[in-house]
Amino acid sequence: MGDGQITVTLTADEALVLSDWLERLQMTDLCRAVDDDDPAVWAPIHKISGTLDKSLPGLFAADYHEQLAAARQRLRPES
């Protein structure tokens, strides 16, 4: 692999839901799912999380939770 870069494209809904999940991962016991002793694992997680934080204008909006709930609903497959 080396020095090549990978580009991932997400919809705004996907980015919002992923950003929320990554935040919860980093702030809760879910972090046990990631090897705490290996900074190489956390480096890309922090990079993705930081990029999403900068790209999502509504993270600190008063209606953030409503936006997140709506994004989750739109991403769920219809049954």
Side-chain angles (χ1 to χ4, degrees), residues 7-20:
T7 300
V8 176
T9 304
L10 302 171
T11 66
D13 286 345
E14 291 167 337
L16 183 58
V17 170
L18 178 60
S19 174
D20 180 72

Side-chain angles (χ1 to χ4, degrees), residues 61-77:
D63 66 342
Y64 169 78
H65 293 288
E66 289 83 8
Q67 289 180 34
L68 179 61
R72 284 183 173 154
Q73 185 62 39
R74 287 188 293 269
L75 290 173
R76 287 188 184 109

Side-chain angles (χ1 to χ4, degrees), residues 22-50:
L22 286 170
E23 180 68 23
R24 288 184 293 119
L25 173 72
Q26 294 176 73
M27 298 300 174
T28 68
D29 286 342
L30 288 174
C31 68
R32 291 185 205 164
V34 179
D35 187 355
D36 290 328
D37 296 331
D38 188 358
V41 175
W42 283 104
I45 291 173
H46 289 302
K47 186 173 188 174
I48 292 167
S49 187

